[in-house]
Amino acid sequence: MKKVEAVIRSSKFEQVKQALHEIEVNFFIYYPVHGVGNTDSETSVWRGVTYAAESIRRTKLEILLQDQNVEKVIQAICDNARTGDVGDGKVLVENVEYLIRVRTGEASHEGL
Amino acid sequence: MKKVEAVIRSSKFEQVKQALHEIEVNFFIYYPVHGVGNTDSETSVWRGVTYAAESIRRTKLEILLQDQNVEKVIQAICDNARTGDVGDGKVLVENVEYLIRVRTGEASHEGL
Amino acid sequence: MKKVEAVIRSSKFEQVKQALHEIEVNFFIYYPVHGVGNTDSETSVWRGVTYAAESIRRTKLEILLQDQNVEKVIQAICDNARTGDVGDGKVLVENVEYLIRVRTGEASHEGL
Amino acid sequence: MEEKIAQIAVTTFTVNNLWMMVSTFLVFIMHLGFATLESGFTQSKNTVNVLFKNVMVVAIGLLTYTLVGFGLMYPGTDFAGQVFAFGGFGLSLPANGITDAYNPGYTYWTDFLFQAMFAATAATIISGAVAERVKLEAFLIFSVIYVAICYPITGYWKWGGGWLNTMTTPFYDFAGSTLVHSVGGWGALAGIILLGPRIGKYVNGKAHPIPGHSMPLAVIGTFLLWLGWFGFNGGSVLSANPGSVSLVLVTTSLAASAGAAGAFFTSFFISKKHDLGMALNGILGGLVAITAGADQMGVTDAILVGLIGGVLVVLAVIFFDKLQLDDPVGALSVHLVNGVWGTLAVGLFGAKAGSAQIVSQLIGISAIGAFSFAFAFILFFVLKATMGIRVSEKEELEGLDKYEHGMSAYEFGELSA
Amino acid sequence: MEEKIAQIAVTTFTVNNLWMMVSTFLVFIMHLGFATLESGFTQSKNTVNVLFKNVMVVAIGLLTYTLVGFGLMYPGTDFAGQVFAFGGFGLSLPANGITDAYNPGYTYWTDFLFQAMFAATAATIISGAVAERVKLEAFLIFSVIYVAICYPITGYWKWGGGWLNTMTTPFYDFAGSTLVHSVGGWGALAGIILLGPRIGKYVNGKAHPIPGHSMPLAVIGTFLLWLGWFGFNGGSVLSANPGSVSLVLVTTSLAASAGAAGAFFTSFFISKKHDLGMALNGILGGLVAITAGADQMGVTDAILVGLIGGVLVVLAVIFFDKLQLDDPVGALSVHLVNGVWGTLAVGLFGAKAGSAQIVSQLIGISAIGAFSFAFAFILFFVLKATMGIRVSEKEELEGLDKYEHGMSAYEFGELSA
Amino acid sequence: MEEKIAQIAVTTFTVNNLWMMVSTFLVFIMHLGFATLESGFTQSKNTVNVLFKNVMVVAIGLLTYTLVGFGLMYPGTDFAGQVFAFGGFGLSLPANGITDAYNPGYTYWTDFLFQAMFAATAATIISGAVAERVKLEAFLIFSVIYVAICYPITGYWKWGGGWLNTMTTPFYDFAGSTLVHSVGGWGALAGIILLGPRIGKYVNGKAHPIPGHSMPLAVIGTFLLWLGWFGFNGGSVLSANPGSVSLVLVTTSLAASAGAAGAFFTSFFISKKHDLGMALNGILGGLVAITAGADQMGVTDAILVGLIGGVLVVLAVIFFDKLQLDDPVGALSVHLVNGVWGTLAVGLFGAKAGSAQIVSQLIGISAIGAFSFAFAFILFFVLKATMGIRVSEKEELEGLDKYEHGMSAYEFGELSA
Ligand SMILES: Nc1ncnc2c1ncn2[C@@H]1O[C@H](COP(=O)(O)OP(=O)(O)O)[C@@H](O)[C@H]1O
Ligand SMILES: Nc1ncnc2c1ncn2[C@@H]1O[C@H](COP(=O)(O)OP(=O)(O)O)[C@@H](O)[C@H]1O
Ligand SMILES: Nc1ncnc2c1ncn2[C@@H]1O[C@H](COP(=O)(O)OP(=O)(O)O)[C@@H](O)[C@H]1O
């Protein structure tokens, strides 16, 4: 089983969520993170001083998937999170040894 | 060494923490996340419109463990995070290559 | 490719960020977490009751790296996040199967 | 002895003027009420923008009203019964402007400041309705013109002594259900129509709620508005007359309370939850509704007018969502619907009730409604055609704070990181 | 000439009434103070619930007091010296209700509104003490009955001219340390006992702090309460008498300041930290303490009464925690303990000090305490036996906002996501 | 009849005193304004600390002023024209202290309380400037001494009847651009110099912004300060004189509005963004600037004085950053720069304009500036040498709340976890 982690623009989150639901990916978690990196230059101002924001707000998604679904999920995320400007984010794939469903205690190596 | 990640109901967090302390698991991190998934139906209301909350608040724990301790930690989490209703969450196990303690710089493959 | 995850004191974050930039690590994400563990004893007070704060605020960094860069990044983090007191945090290394850049859709096993 | 007796008139004038100054402060604090209410009911990514509009509208509104508005609205007694009149630019202290020869209730300066605080309210009402998508500059230009020209003209029709005031059965609007609140409400309607809904608000014809980001701010706003209303209505007595002012305070409070109760029960009936946002809007609905007849109602009248106002707010919010008119803070339901209801209620309840009055009320509601809606629509339309009135999609999605202001309303990073 | 002289009385009446109206506004704003203080001192998962209670208590309190309370509390002079009396339902303007023949200090309407704002306070005090676990409907029903019946009855004993006022040495409670604050405090105690502590508050007999979620809200609340107290105490002079009112404002401010100082030093001595929550409670403790004798104290008396009040608050918070009486916002320490202390202080400090007065104060404290505690206990008990007064464990753990209100107080997702 | 006529004087006195009490309330609420503004403009890890300082400064300031300050500042008419005088410790009601024989405008108690609320302001201004790094105890000791001694001495020079008031062309400072705001500003400057900037504020000579954590709090603060200024300036008329007070309210409001406009345009010109923080500071700058001559300016004068004030604020913020004087909330730009500007403006605009007045204004600005800067510098220096005035690096980085107070200002864990 795999864990797909995606760091995307927060403003694209709703669209990505819809796209995931359309391909029947209904379970995942997400949370806000700060991204440091190449981004569309955003100038911030505080009390007369203009400065480059050193980090930007991004949303991170974590999705647990059976191996065969990884491909299409990545596709869905990339297609929907893309604006074409620098700063669209990254998706990565990690291996998960196994997974337990708290409610039942059942464990699985392929995903639930 | 393993990393156990658990996504549980926030309202069960205190109980899980106590249970972990009881089996001498004293170090971990946690943070709030939004869970999308099968949950006990929660209806929200905003200005007269009733709608299904599209995500729910969950707490995610990350615990680094020596391989032999994984079993009992999962047990403790499942036993204490369970309500029996849909939405109790998931626990997953990942492999960690190695770990460094910042204070001393010492590295370990089994855990500290 | 590797993912380095570090949990450090939030007050050391700025210094670590500068150090990472100096060794040309310009891309990463970070977010606040609660750490449970051995820490410099912090006493909190609420309405006359003194109690040990059960968790402390830490910042977690996630950095994706080509394998050969892991070493020096860990070094930079440890050197700059260290105060020498208990509670300086941990750094861990995980394996990442592959990475996709959302903007272009290009995938890589070594890092981008 | 003679002198001492002369002092009586001065002291009486001083008391009246003191009350009007206190009322002015109370109306002033309504602007903080609007700022907190509107920012509480909108998303945190647009909070700086909402606050900025509310701050600048007060400042610019006061300056504009100084320059043009006051002269248009109160051109002086030489211009009674007309449709349009202008007393000149700027402020100039008339002879006797600081004695009771000017007015037994207040000095020229107090008069101006009290009226100026009112004027800025109309623009502020609109700011909530168009929030989270309107271009800042376009909105500020709109506000300047609306406060400088539209609000004073319709205000003159009644309070300035214009034609609505000289009809056989004069139109009655004690403190501005129509002259202030509906005028704001009609402007809001025009803005909402021309702007369209926020992205994601209506998906496949269904309303998709976009919850506000801070209920404490919304509650602070509502209480401050209620407080301010004591001056808004109480000051509209235009003197400290003990009987009249204290009656107005009682009807105002009871209508607000009944509005809360009306919205509480209606919304619970509909959604089976205790909807705080609706309770707050119910209070405001009750307040707007009582405004037109606060001095004409008895205790029971006031409670009924407020109660119906509270029920109407809830139904109106749902109704406007059906029409896909996206009003983030409920400005239409509170200020337009209850402005109309309250004005009409003067013909149905209380001392002035009667069919002749109903007709006059309908004339006033329609005339002012038509004028101010048309004015606002044309103005927004011209702005839309020229500079544009809506921010880009990208800006709307990522938040107006980031692009227009280069800052966030909140920085909790340091705290929880 | 005659007419001008008659104007003197009218103007004097107008000034007095103006002051009482201003005081009414100040007491009104205390409700926003309570709303912000109580929500700041409780957890964010229950914030909507806390705010909702505070908003509805004002609205319902005003309506209830209109219908029943005012008639019970001020039945009129025909009912002097009794234990129970009722002047009739609703409000009806008496002859001369808007002239100084009714009262030299205010009109009937002002009288009612000032008193009604007071009445709602007692219920609001309770709302903080039972927060985070009480069922909303049960609390609202409790409030209605408490404000409609219990508060007016004990209020009548003293302020309405009942038996406590006609004793040889009359019981003295200037602005309500006992009649308002203790009455709220006793009700809070009954509620706390019957509800039990919040889950997790006492583990193995040790108090486990549950910190409040927003110190800025708590500070806003405290300052607004202090501001409101100028009207609460200052208005209790019942006229604008320059000497009396200004003395009351000074004693009130100095007691508040001394309360802050008392709590500051006491809590630093105990915990070696600068405890903001305690400083805020110290201010409130000082304010409650001075309330009974604000017009009878000199400068030094006021400072001492406030200082002791501030010390008492800190000790009482710790004491109640020892007894496992879970009071999230410190309502018992502030309103009950200092209500008793302040009432007693009238017999110990200032112009009325003396043993006869001490006895009278003790009689008043005990009689009103016994009646209101019993009333509240029975009422909560009946509610507990019938509809239940506590939410389910699940609801308490996940937050009342989610289940009772279907919303969160804050939505920062958009911001930081 | 005689009696009725005597009542005229009493009633007149009552009205004047009532106005002064209302002004006192308004000045009081400025302290909440400062608390919210300063906490909004600083980081959330230091919020409890900022709030704590603001709360305690009011409490301690009132007590201190009771004990020493009032006697130093208003020693009585026997001490006219001097440099230093002392009327005695504590408060003691003079004969006729509660009639118009004391003063036609207010009682002794009102006098004291109004002045005491002013006094605490000067210390509060400093608290913002030294925020996020000053040691709490050191700051509180500083405040006590500053409010007890420095502020009253320079205050006496003018308002207490000292030498600045008895010059041929007396120095003019209507409500305290210099006597209150600059005195606070000079103290702030001394503190900033001796403390040094916050860690990370200036890196390689470049200013690195440290954004404040809550714009809603900052907006609440600004509106409350504007509200409070109605009492600060309006109350400085020292009676309810209708013409004078209402003129002052108008000039105050227009200067505030023009200040917002000035800062709005200047900051947009500089940064191409709509800088909310600057707009808020612009309002405050306009208010401080008009304070010295609020009763001497016409409508256009007031607008110009405020407009220039708003422009100055923006330029001054940038200027002080160039000098690496780290002022988290802009206290120097608002209170010091505009305090000086406003005082000078009395010689340039309005009824008193003229070269003799300019000279007197410069004398007053310099004398008071020199004295209060020197006083503050020496006092901070002694504190630095003895107990230390700055927290440890660790404490500053992790936040003062954690170490000095053992708590966080916000606990949202429960909410979003
Ligand atoms: N090596 C990395 N480790 C962790 N996060 C990264 C890494 N590289 C990029 N990111 C995250 O992805 C975001 C977008 O990536 P970036 O490289 O700036 O844009 P693009 O992929 O369009 O070139 C960054 O803001 C950062 O948060
Ligand atoms: N595949 C997944 N990837 C990531 N998170 C998941 C996944 N499945 C479930 N979760 C998280 O666990 C929570 C509970 O899971 P759910 O399936 O709804 O309940 P249950 O396990 O009781 O059937 C979800 O809200 C979601 O946040
Ligand atoms: N096994 C673990 N799993 C997850 N997080 C941990 C683990 N051990 C430590 N941490 C995190 O690192 C922080 C510091 O670690 P700690 O052991 O207290 O200090 P030190 O490494 O200096 O001995 C802890 O607060 C905790 O958040």
Side-chain angles (χ1 to χ4, degrees), chain C residues 17-44:
Chain C
K17 186 173 74 178
Q18 298 309 332
L20 289 172
H21 283 336
E22 268 156 38
I23 57 169
E24 311 272 296
V25 174
N26 292 319
F27 307 97
F28 56 91
I29 62 169
Y30 66 93
Y31 47 96
V33 299
H34 299 268
V36 176
N38 284 336
T39 58
D40 39 348
S41 73
E42 291 176 16
T43 25
S44 292

Side-chain angles (χ1 to χ4, degrees), chain C residues 10 32 57-59, chain D residues 413-417:
Chain C
S10 301
R57 276 142 179 170
R58 292 286 180 257
T59 297
Chain D
E414 288 296 329
L415 165 85
S416 50

Side-chain angles (χ1 to χ4, degrees), chain E residues 54-84:
Chain E
N54 278 287
V55 168
M56 289 313 297
V57 159
V58 183
I60 294 181
L62 285 174
L63 295 172
T64 305
Y65 200 73
T66 305
L67 190 65
V68 193
F70 194 56
L72 264 180
M73 187 152 168
Y74 296 97
T77 41
D78 305 350
F79 301 87
Q82 307 188 357
V83 172
F84 183 87

Side-chain angles (χ1 to χ4, degrees), chain D residues 392-413:
Chain D
S392 71
E393 184 186 327
K394 180 175 170 179
E395 198 170 324
E396 188 177 337
L397 284 176
E398 302 201 12
L400 278 68
D401 291 1
K402 189 163 146 181
Y403 290 95
E404 303 243 11
H405 305 280
M407 59 164 70
S408 301
Y410 299 95
E411 294 285 348
F412 287 130

Side-chain angles (χ1 to χ4, degrees), chain A residues 10 32 57-59, chain E residues 413-417:
Chain A
S10 300
R57 277 143 179 169
R58 293 286 179 257
T59 297
Chain E
E414 288 297 331
L415 166 83
S416 49

